[in-house]
Amino acid sequence: MHFQDKRTKMLTEAAIIAAVYVALVMIFKPISFGAIQFRIAEALCILPFFSFSAVPGLALGCLLGNFFSGAAMPDVIFGTLATLLAAILSYKLRNVSKWLVCIPPILANAIIVPFVLQYAYGVPDAYYFLFATVGAGEVLAVGILGNILLLALESRREVIFRTQ
């Protein structure tokens, strides 16, 4: 595959991942935000296991999903940074174990989002409570839904994420 073809493939994959992430955030907006949140779009955070394209795709999807949902600017910025950091770490863990790929998004969001909720939205709950609620939502979205998605895509890896 030529360099230009690889670049086009990567940009296309990233754009599709971003679009699906945004669509899922918008469709499930009522449960995607707040102190107790279940962001179904986060299931896509296992995609760095399959392709580096997921790293910019997830970050862009989070940025646009938060922005178009009317999130506060600190949420747009720091939520996107949490997703980018998690995607990079998940990509680095992909060769260690597929089961570890879900850990960075769970931890990054459980650690960072409570600060965003407190400072951008004035949520009065204690940090540790928000850590637990956001973390639980991430465990459900990424740890369970994401791993189901990973297993479903794994057998179709060569068809969906072609390397040629």
Side-chain angles (χ1 to χ4, degrees):
M1 186 180 282
H2 292 79
F3 172 75
Q4 186 65 29
D5 294 338
K6 285 182 182 180
R7 195 170 84 177
T8 301
K9 177 186 173 290
M10 183 180 159
L11 288 171
T12 303
E13 283 181 358
I16 290 169
I17 291 166
V20 172
Y21 190 101
V22 171
L24 289 171
V25 168
M26 299 306 285
I27 291 167
F28 297 103
K29 183 178 174 184
I31 61 172
S32 294
F33 295 90
I36 299 173
Q37 56 182 260
F38 177 51
R39 187 176 280 203
I40 292 172
E42 287 288 294
L44 300 177
C45 288
I46 56 84
L47 293 177
F49 175 75
F50 299 102
S51 173
F52 180 77
S53 303
V55 173
L58 290 168
L60 181 61
C62 182
L63 175 86
L64 295 174
N66 285 353
F67 181 79
F68 288 123
S69 293
M73 197 50 64
D75 195 0
V76 173
I77 295 166
F78 291 103
T80 300
L81 290 174
T83 298
L84 178 61
L85 172 66
I88 290 167
L89 294 173
S90 291
Y91 182 75
K92 289 181 180 278
L93 289 173
R94 77 191 185 290
N95 292 324
V96 177
S97 170
K98 67 182 169 190
W99 305 113
L100 293 178
V101 172
C102 69
I103 301 299
I106 292 169
L107 290 178
N109 284 289
I111 292 167
I112 296 169
V113 171
F115 287 115
V116 173
L117 291 171
Q118 288 178 324
Y119 297 106
Y121 299 104
V123 173
D125 299 317
Y127 174 83
Y128 294 108
F129 173 77
L130 296 172
F131 176 90
T133 60
V134 172
E138 285 293 307
V139 167
L140 292 172
V142 186
I144 295 175
L145 286 181
N147 278 315
I148 291 170
L149 178 61
L150 187 144
L151 292 172
L153 293 175
E154 191 173 31
S155 64
R156 294 162 186 85
R157 179 184 208 149
E158 296 305 318
V159 175
I160 298 170
F161 299 99
R162 291 185 182 165
T163 55
Q164 303 178 36

